[in-house]
Amino acid sequence: MNLSIKALKTDRQWRSATGLDHQRFAKLLGWFEQSYRQIYDKSIEERQAECPDEPALST
């Protein structure tokens, strides 16, 4: 079972997996990324690079 959003191609797949179409999901993701940066002052990728342990969730 592939759980990556990269595998989602159609609006039906997007709505089935996320409850949103691709455009709305991208907009929501932008808000989450912005909030994460405000809280931690870094992106997720930057924080993972600093972590000595392998992350449990890579995406």
Side-chain angles (χ1 to χ4, degrees):
M1 175 185 235
N2 189 351
L3 296 177
S4 173
I5 60 172
K6 294 176 185 176
L8 303 176
K9 303 294 182 209
T10 67
D11 277 340
R12 183 176 178 167
Q13 290 173 335
W14 276 98
R15 286 191 305 270
S16 176
T18 66
L20 302 169
D21 61 27
H22 182 253
Q23 290 177 336
R24 289 184 179 177
F25 181 83
K27 187 175 182 178
L28 181 63
L29 182 60
W31 285 105
F32 276 111
E33 289 173 343
Q34 182 180 359
S35 296
Y36 190 93
R37 273 199 178 272
Q38 287 177 350
I39 293 169
Y40 296 107
D41 199 33
K42 295 179 183 178
S43 70
I44 292 172
E45 293 82 10
E46 290 169 336
R47 288 201 61 211
Q48 283 181 346
E50 293 174 354
C51 183
D53 298 327
E54 184 69 25
L57 300 173
S58 60
T59 60

